[in-house]
Amino acid sequence: SAICPLQLWEGAKERNKQMALDTVDNERGLDMVLIGDSLVEHWLGTDLGRHSTKWNENLELYNQLFRNSSLLNGLALGIGG
């Protein structure tokens, strides 16, 4: 059976909520938060909360620049749709 787009959106919203909570618990804190639509979500390598190989390069760059960087600690909270 097909997955309802609303269910996908809700799943992506819950993922973002959990990532934000996990980051708040992190001692390092955040330097930057990206908030937006699919353009921001694609930094995570996902579309409507589901991994997509189409966005693997975005995820690698996001991790390099914002998650594993000694300069910036960033978080992308986007949802397509």
Side-chain angles (χ1 to χ4, degrees), residues 29-44:
L30 285 171
D31 299 306
M32 167 175 83
V33 177
L34 303 169
I35 298 175
D37 58 9
S38 61
L39 295 173
V40 173
E41 182 181 9
H42 293 162
W43 281 103
L44 300 172

Side-chain angles (χ1 to χ4, degrees), residues 48-77:
L48 282 175
R50 297 184 297 179
H51 177 75
S52 173
T53 56
K54 181 178 181 178
W55 307 113
N56 279 350
E57 288 182 23
N58 294 35
L59 177 59
E60 290 174 20
L61 188 58
Y62 169 73
N63 284 330
Q64 179 185 351
L65 294 174
F66 304 118
R67 300 304 293 167
N68 301 323
S69 170
S70 61
L71 299 176
L72 283 175
N73 188 30
L75 181 62
L77 299 175

Side-chain angles (χ1 to χ4, degrees), residues 19-36:
M19 286 190 320
L21 290 171
D22 291 346
T23 303
V24 168
D25 289 341
N26 181 344
E27 292 178 14
R28 184 170 174 203
L30 285 171
D31 299 306
M32 167 175 83
V33 177
L34 303 169
I35 298 175

